[in-house]
Amino acid sequence: MNASSPPRRPDGLDVRRAQRWFRALTVVAVLAMGALYQGLRSAPGPGTGVLVLASALVLAASAVQAARILTVLAGPPRLPRHLRLRPPGRRTTAVHTSAASPPKEE
């Protein structure tokens, strides 16, 4: 790895890039909240409705994406994918049915 390559975690996450996106999305969410506040304080009208709708959608989208990035950056480490998935057809717990058949008499 040369000196100009970004730091990566063992799972392949580019930490610097994720932090940059998190900061940008946080700034966008703050600006959208300001626009939403301004729109809610304005006189009713079609322009105000469009402003409120657009700023609310941008706020929701940027907040959700920033939360997803924060979860990856600050959350607990995850197992590799091949260890998280169970092989098909193999159950770890017993299957319980609501209509259990009566025991067979011999």
Side-chain angles (χ1 to χ4, degrees):
M1 185 185 303
N2 59 22
S4 65
S5 64
R8 289 191 177 267
R9 293 194 327 200
D11 59 359
L13 176 72
D14 183 359
V15 177
R16 208 176 289 156
R17 181 177 170 197
Q19 288 173 342
R20 185 173 52 240
W21 271 107
F22 176 74
R23 288 186 196 109
L25 286 167
T26 303
V27 167
V28 168
V30 168
L31 293 174
M33 187 64 220
L36 180 62
Y37 177 73
Q38 192 67 28
L40 291 173
R41 289 184 60 218
S42 300
T48 302
V50 170
L51 175 65
V52 168
L53 176 66
S55 60
L57 289 175
V58 169
L59 173 62
S62 60
V64 166
Q65 290 292 45
R68 290 180 67 198
I69 293 172
L70 183 62
T71 302
V72 171
L73 287 176
R78 297 179 67 181
L79 289 173
R81 184 172 176 82
H82 69 279
L83 294 177
R84 280 188 281 144
L85 299 176
R86 289 186 309 214
R90 202 171 146 209
R91 294 188 179 263
T92 57
T93 60
V95 176
H96 299 288
T97 59
S98 59
S101 60
K104 293 183 179 180
E105 294 180 19
E106 294 181 27

